[in-house]
Structures are given as structure tokens and as C-alpha cells.
Amino acid sequence: MASAYQKGLAGAQLLGAYNEGLFFAEAHKGAHNESFFLELTKQRFDEIYAACEGCLSSFALAPELLKSPDMIRYITDKGVRVMLGHTDANFEQTTQALAHGACGGVHIFNGMRGIHHRDPGCTGALLMDSDAMVELIPDGIHLHPSIMNMVYRLKGADKIALITDCVSAGGLQDGRYRLGELPIVVEQGVARTESGSLAGSTLTMEVGVERFYNLTDASLVEATNMASLVPAEFLNKAEQIGSIAVGKQANFALLDKDFSVQATICAGKQIF
């Protein structure tokens, strides 16, 4: 990741590294291999941070596993955004983590304790915190459309980042693939582990924007910004990217009315 960040890529721009793994709870492991899970220490974080050579932008963890919430402040003081995910944290533990500097939730509802009317859980805490940004997978599979719309109504257009969570099977036919070392099966475009857990998606971003727009009350401008400007603002890069404006980098895609990509411009050059 550090090498690609420094040398650049053809046809894309790497904005940073997002560490999602190792420091999670088995109860919500998703497609992660729990045999690799570790206790998060300053030494382990420092090793990851050093290996990234300046490109580590976001770091996901299960807050209930921390010996001290001060670990969150330690990470954020290095300019890395802390995200909460693959966690069994309750409402109070999540609220405490947010108070110590965590700033969002990994693919909301998925990989975290959900909402119960007597236990709002991690999901409820993230939805009720006005400052927390939440990732959302808008494939219509990870979240029911009505839940997608509920998140939109609670968080608003400025606190949702649309993500694909796309795996190596994206854009390919149904069949057997691998997610890291785990075998996964894709049927009707849905990726699952052999045990039946969702294993990322085969979603592409333009399809995600289309589905969120068609399945919720969001406007097309709002849905588009959730896939571009909101993430750029979250990474403190909105002055350079995230929208089309004088002085910004020319990074954008041209879509037709059917949301089919007609052209892609990266750093002012037509790539596709």
C-alpha cells in the first residue's frame, strides 16, 4: 500500500490505507478469520503505522476489546480516523469510544450489535450521534431498502458514505472465489462464505449510487455526494477532490441516464 501510494497507480488514485482487520470481536467476525485476531496495543499499531509510511488514513476496531479507551486518542493523535466495526459493543461502550475520538461506523448494521428496543447497541449509538459518519453498502442486500432510508433520515446526506465493500469477484460471473485465504461463493451476484455469511459484495459504485437514489428519499445530488464529497471531507481531502470545481483535481466519471459509465477522468487524463 505504501509503495502504491507513493509511486501512484495507472487508472486510479490511492487516497490512503484503511486497516480493517485483526482487532475485532469474534461475535461479529463476518468474513474475517478469527484465528488472526489480536489484542490492540500501541506497539502493534505503531508497526502498522510505520509499514504504511504515511498512507494510513483510517483504522477500524472493536472498542469493547480495548483495555483503555485512551488507545483511540493515541491513534487519532497521529492523524488516523478511528472507525468502529465488527464489534459487539453496547450503546454505552460505543458512546464512550465516540467521546474519546472515534468518528464513525464500518458498514452500518453489518458486523455490529444491532438495535433492540431495550438495547440500542453499537448501531443505535452511531445513528444517534450527530457527528458520527457511517459507511453504508447500498446493494439492497446488506440492508433492506427501508433500513437504508431510515439511516438516510436519521443521519442526513452529510454523514453517510456509500461504499461498495467489493471483493475480487466484482464484475465477474457467479462462481467460487477467494477473499484473502477464505473461499467464498457468489450466487446471483451475492458473495458469501461457505458458512453462509455475507462476504463483501460484487457492487460497483455507480450501481450503488443508482440503488440508493432509487430505493430511498435521497436526491440524485445527495446520493452522488455520498459516494464522492462526503468521503473526501471525511479524509480531509475535499479541497483537492470530491467534487468538480476550479482548482480541484479533475477526477470524475461520466454516466448516461442508465448510470452506465461512459468515460473516466483521473487527474485530468481520460483513463476510460
Side-chain angles (χ1 to χ4, degrees):
M1 291 292 286
S3 176
Y5 183 75
Q6 294 165 2
K7 296 179 181 179
L9 298 169
Q13 185 177 21
L14 183 64
L15 301 181
Y18 184 0
N19 188 97
E20 189 193 332
L22 297 182
F23 312 108
F24 291 154
E26 290 187 25
H28 294 282
K29 65 181 182 179
H32 291 269
N33 187 340
E34 72 274 15
S35 66
F36 292 148
F37 288 175
L38 296 169
E39 177 187 336
L40 179 57
T41 63
K42 290 183 179 180
Q43 179 182 352
R44 284 175 174 152
F45 172 79
D46 287 344
E47 289 174 355
I48 293 172
Y49 184 80
C52 288
E53 299 180 11
C55 75
L56 184 63
S57 60
S58 304
F59 195 90
L61 54 82
E64 75 275 19
L65 302 180
L66 298 178
K67 287 188 175 181
S68 168
D70 291 338
M71 189 68 205
I72 295 175
R73 181 59 59 193
Y74 181 78
I75 296 172
T76 58
D77 283 346
K78 293 183 178 294
V80 179
R81 315 302 300 271
V82 172
M83 298 289 284
L84 307 179
H86 292 281
T87 169
D88 198 37
N90 58 29
F91 182 87
E92 289 74 20
Q93 290 167 325
T94 305
T95 300
Q96 183 184 44
L98 292 169
H100 278 79
C103 52
V106 180
H107 39 57
I108 189 73
F109 276 97
N110 290 277
M112 62 181 62
R113 185 184 291 212
I115 297 175
H116 184 276
H117 57 284
R118 287 190 294 272
D119 178 13
C122 178
T123 303
L126 290 167
L127 291 176
M128 294 305 295
D129 188 291
S130 59
D131 294 325
M133 191 275 293
V134 297
E135 300 174 349
L136 187 148
I137 306 173
D139 58 358
I141 298 165
H142 281 77
L143 296 177
H144 188 279
S146 64
I147 297 297
M148 288 167 50
N149 206 33
M150 183 189 78
V151 175
Y152 167 71
R153 292 183 182 183
L154 284 170
K155 299 302 295 182
D158 296 332
K159 290 298 180 179
I160 299 172
L162 299 185
I163 65 170
T164 65
D165 215 32
C166 188
V167 298
S168 60
L172 304 178
Q173 297 178 345
D174 287 357
R176 293 185 174 274
Y177 298 89
R178 300 191 75 82
L179 177 57
E181 66 171 18
L182 293 177
I184 61 174
V185 179
V186 177
E187 294 182 352
Q188 295 183 325
V190 181
R192 297 184 183 274
T193 64
E194 292 182 333
S195 64
S197 296
L198 287 170
S201 81
T202 60
L203 184 69
T204 52
M205 189 59 81
E206 80 283 2
V207 175
V209 170
E210 177 188 19
R211 290 184 182 174
F212 194 85
Y213 167 59
N214 286 323
L215 296 175
T216 72
D217 296 332
S219 70
L220 182 54
V221 170
E222 288 176 327
T224 302
N225 283 346
M226 290 178 201
S228 54
L229 186 58
V230 172
E233 290 173 339
F234 180 76
L235 294 173
N236 294 319
K237 295 180 181 290
E239 291 186 1
Q240 297 84 38
I241 58 174
S243 63
I244 300 173
V246 175
K248 288 193 176 187
Q249 295 180 26
N251 292 353
F252 56 89
L254 300 178
L255 280 62
D256 63 15
K257 293 182 179 180
D258 296 325
F259 287 83
S260 296
V261 178
Q262 302 300 304
T264 303
I265 311 298
C266 184
K269 297 179 180 180
Q270 186 168 347
I271 303 300
F272 168 75

